[in-house]
Amino acid sequence: MTYNSDPQGATLYGLDGHNYGYTPVVLYYEVEKEFKAGQCTTIHGKSVRWASGAEAAYTRQSVCPVNGYEQSFTFVRPTDIPGRDIDVQFQMALEQQRRADSAAMAAALQGLGQAVIQSQSAPPPSQKSSTFCQTYMVGDHLQTYCK
C-alpha cells in the first residue's frame, strides 16, 4: 500500500503512534490468503500530520483483490485549517533534499565503481594468499567472488 498525502510530505503514523516517515510511504501487508480467495480484508488505520499541524486520519481500511496487489491511499489535507502554504513549502524542501540525496548516492556509486575497476586492473599482489577475491559491478550492486 502506498500512502500519499496532498500536499506530500506529511508524516505517516500508525494508530499505535509508530512514525513511518514522510509521504509517500510504501508499506507491505500479508494479504495473500484473503486475496487468493477473492476476499477483501481490513487493515489498521493510519494518520498523517503536516508541518503546519493539520491532521487527517482513518481507523480502518478495506483492501480488495479487485483493486490489485499494489494499491494506494491519499490523505487530503483539511481545507478549513490554515497553513497550507507552510505544508507546500515543506513539500518542496523535502523534494529538494531527496534530489540532493539521490545525486550524492549516484556519485558515491560511480566513485565506488571506478575504484572497483581500478582494483581489477591493478597487478595482483606478489604475496601468495589462500584466498583470492574479485569484485564486479552488476547494475547498482557490487558482487564479490572469492576462491
Side-chain angles (χ1 to χ4, degrees), residues 114-131:
Q114 290 298 325
V116 168
I117 291 169
Q118 288 175 357
S119 70
Q120 290 174 351
S121 63
S126 59
Q127 299 175 347
K128 289 192 173 188
S129 173
S130 60
T131 304

Side-chain angles (χ1 to χ4, degrees), residues 45-96:
K46 303 283 183 273
S47 66
V48 292
R49 183 179 306 122
W50 284 268
S52 66
E55 296 179 328
Y58 69 91
T59 55
R60 297 168 49 145
Q61 181 178 12
S62 182
V63 292
C64 300
V66 296
N67 297 323
Y69 279 87
E70 295 180 20
Q71 299 184 30
S72 65
F73 182 85
T74 301
F75 290 91
V76 178
R77 188 187 185 285
T79 57
D80 59 339
I81 298 175
R84 182 174 176 81
D85 57 330
I86 295 169
D87 299 333
V88 170
Q89 289 174 3
F90 187 76
Q91 172 190 5
M92 292 185 329
L94 275 178
E95 288 174 7
Q96 287 176 341

